Amino acid sequence: MNIAGVSRPKRTETAAPNSTSPADERGPPKKPRGRPSTKARKREELIDGATALFNARGISATSLTDVADVLDLSRATVYYYVSDRTELVFQCYMRACELAAEDLAQASLAANGFARVATYIRRALTPDRPPVAVMTEINSLTPDIASLIRKANDRNVTALVGFIAQGIDDGSIRRCDPIVVAQAIIGMLAWSQLLPQWSDQGSGPKLRHRAMESMIDLLTSGLAADRAMQFECPVSAEQFQPKIENIFDRKESANFKIAQLLATASALFNRNGIEATSLDEIAAAMGLTKGAVYHYLDDKADLVEHCYERSFELYDRFVDAAHAHGGNGLEAAMINAHLNIQAQAGTLSPLMPQPGFEGMPKTIRDRLHRRASSQNSAVARALAMGAAEGVARECDAPLVTHMCAGAFGWLPKWLPVVGGPDPCDIADAICDLLLRGLTPEPAD
């Protein structure tokens, strides 16, 4: 499958790209040899600490004063390194791009395409590495700065796509769509940064090591015990679209309008980030005034909460449908994944867990965390059942289900808004990756 609007790299490309800075798009300044200066070290400490806060609280809920307080710095110290929050966000995002470029450059030295992919993942999930920014809020930056981040990120994506294409050529990776696989990997890596907030799997180096091992194992051999297993999802996500039976029933009509509003807002939040999406944009996409939006919801925070509640209701229905139609545990897990991918590639658009979870009120956060944990546990139990039935490989099921969520949660960040692939086609491609992994099946 060839994703429209995205060009494939030449398969001879091996080197990872250089990163850029706002002052010079020609490439990064040469790094001095030896130990970093005190100023450089403190700048990195500031960026690492701010990154953790932005990932946890979101950009809108994190001020420079918050950064100074949490990191036990004076405001003057913070302003010595950045002029405002936008510049700090830019530096956090650019640091993520620079680290990825360095990892890709080192991975390009590996023996073959699959080894390059695996090396990149190992470096990206190095257990003792500080967190990197999850770049969901690029559109919250000014257009010129956002453009620099996109260019740096696009070069990294191109390098990873190149590794996969090289692997297909050298026989270390079976035939697949390099763009779909590369973006799925990027989504899994991004989601790994949010695991401590949205899961009960722990935090720190031990969790990152588990994530690294689980992700490489998944990409090596997939989930199916028999990699020749045939899977076809028997359920369409379209059946979960809200319907209105009586347009003259005022309550039913209002509920339908709210459902449309939440779907529209969720789609924009998923694509552009919560911080970068205004109520005016949401209202315009609905053909409403902002005043009409306030007729249904109190404010943006109320809207985000309702979007999350709608999402978890949909996830519950996906799990129920998966168990009703799956012939075994693995099939149930794959139906659930297929429905989630259809939903993100189509118009259903459940709001995906994003940075900023820790910035929500505790009562709301606790309720959403319980629902997320319950749903993840249900899918993990299905995978474990599949292993007991002999149809799935043994794996770290609670963590693998989170990794898979990263693959489909990232879809709105890269799929074309118009003219993209059919949702079922993209779901088939990602489920094929999850079932079979990347390496060629052993010859009989």
Side-chain angles (χ1 to χ4, degrees):
M1 177 176 57
N2 188 8
I3 303 305
V6 185
S7 60
R8 295 184 184 278
K10 295 180 180 179
R11 292 189 176 183
T12 56
E13 180 182 348
T14 57
N18 289 328
S19 59
T20 61
S21 66
D24 187 358
E25 290 191 56
R26 295 170 296 177
K30 293 182 178 179
K31 295 182 179 180
R33 295 187 178 183
R35 299 177 62 185
S37 66
T38 299
K39 179 179 178 180
R41 187 176 68 252
K42 288 188 175 297
R43 173 184 171 276
E44 289 196 4
E45 290 173 354
L46 171 62
I47 292 173
D48 290 343
T51 291
L53 284 173
F54 288 142
N55 284 351
R57 299 182 180 182
I59 293 172
S60 61
T62 307
S63 66
L64 289 187
T65 299
D66 294 330
V67 173
D69 289 345
V70 172
L71 300 182
D72 197 23
L73 300 171
S74 67
R75 291 186 64 190
T77 299
V78 174
Y79 280 108
Y80 177 75
Y81 293 99
V82 294
S83 59
D84 55 25
R85 186 180 64 178
T86 297
E87 183 180 351
L88 182 56
V89 174
F90 168 80
Q91 291 198 24
C92 292
Y93 279 9
M94 186 55 76
R95 178 62 175 149
C97 292
E98 290 170 348
L99 283 172
E102 292 169 10
D103 292 340
L104 288 160
Q106 290 299 314
S108 70
L109 304 176
N112 57 48
F114 182 78
R116 291 169 195 145
V117 172
T119 300
Y120 170 61
I121 292 169
R122 287 192 180 95
R123 290 183 61 86
L125 292 177
T126 299
D128 58 355
R129 176 181 285 184
V132 296
V134 181
M135 295 189 293
T136 59
E137 308 275 6
I138 294 177
N139 288 341
S140 68
L141 302 170
T142 59
D144 56 336
I145 292 178
S147 177
L148 290 177
I149 296 294
R150 288 195 188 93
K151 288 177 181 177
N153 184 63
D154 287 348
R155 286 194 295 270
N156 290 337
V157 173
T158 298
L160 182 56
V161 172
F163 289 172
I164 297 162
Q166 291 155 14
I168 295 172
D169 279 350
D170 65 36
S172 62
I173 293 177
R174 63 185 182 82
R175 296 208 65 81
C176 61
D177 188 310
I179 294 170
V180 172
V181 171
Q183 293 287 3
I185 290 171
I186 291 167
M188 292 182 198
L189 291 174
W191 179 239
S192 71
Q193 304 297 323
L194 303 180
L195 274 171
Q197 301 172 45
W198 281 98
S199 77
D200 53 5
Q201 297 300 304
S203 61
K206 186 175 180 181
L207 177 62
R208 289 176 66 83
H209 181 76
R210 282 178 59 205
M212 175 183 68
E213 294 294 334
S214 294
M215 191 169 169
I216 292 176
D217 179 67
L218 176 65
L219 294 176
T220 299
S221 302
L223 296 171
D226 176 8
R227 296 174 72 187
M229 169 187 171
Q230 298 298 309
F231 170 74
E232 184 174 344
C233 184
V235 190
S236 170
E238 285 300 305
Q239 75 179 54
F240 299 95
Q241 292 282 8
K243 297 178 176 61
I244 185 167
E245 301 294 336
N246 183 2
I247 60 174
F248 300 105
D249 186 309
R250 295 181 63 181
K251 183 176 181 181
E252 184 179 356
S253 181
N255 288 339
F256 183 73
K257 182 66 72 174
I258 292 172
Q260 289 182 309
L261 174 61
L262 297 180
T264 300
S266 296
L268 290 171
F269 289 151
N270 285 341
R271 187 182 312 130
N272 301 321
I274 293 173
E275 165 76 359
T277 304
S278 68
L279 289 181
D280 287 319
E281 291 172 294
I282 295 167
M286 287 284 296
L288 302 172
T289 64
K290 188 161 68 172
V293 174
Y294 282 121
H295 175 73
Y296 297 107
L297 297 154
D298 294 338
D299 52 25
K300 189 174 179 179
D302 187 39
L303 173 61
V304 172
E305 179 187 350
H306 277 80
C307 286
Y308 273 129
E309 293 288 359
R310 168 185 177 267
S311 298
F312 285 114
E313 289 171 6
L314 283 170
Y315 298 151
D316 280 340
R317 295 175 68 190
F318 292 168
V319 169
D320 291 343
H323 283 297
H325 292 275
N328 55 55
L330 180 58
E331 283 187 1
M334 296 312 302
I335 291 171
N336 181 74
H338 205 282
L339 287 172
N340 274 282
I341 298 163
Q342 288 184 56
Q344 291 301 337
T347 59
L348 204 55
S349 302
L351 179 59
M352 283 301 298
Q354 300 189 28
F357 184 61
E358 293 298 325
M360 302 180 75
K362 187 176 185 305
T363 53
I364 297 173
R365 192 169 70 238
D366 288 348
R367 184 173 70 253
L368 296 180
H369 189 279
R370 284 193 299 270
R371 296 194 70 174
S373 296
S374 174
Q375 289 161 355
N376 184 74
S377 295
V379 182
R381 286 194 299 271
L383 275 181
M385 181 185 301
E389 294 165 331
V391 294
R393 295 173 57 247
E394 295 282 350
C395 66
D396 187 342
L399 206 55
V400 166
T401 53
H402 279 295
M403 294 291 101
C404 294
F408 55 73
W410 197 248
L411 287 169
K413 300 298 183 186
W414 66 274
L415 282 178
V417 177
V418 179
D422 181 270
C424 283
D425 288 344
I426 197 78
D428 287 344
I430 295 178
C431 284
D432 184 70
L433 169 66
L434 301 180
L435 275 172
R436 301 178 219 292
L438 284 179
T439 59
E441 297 176 28
D444 292 334

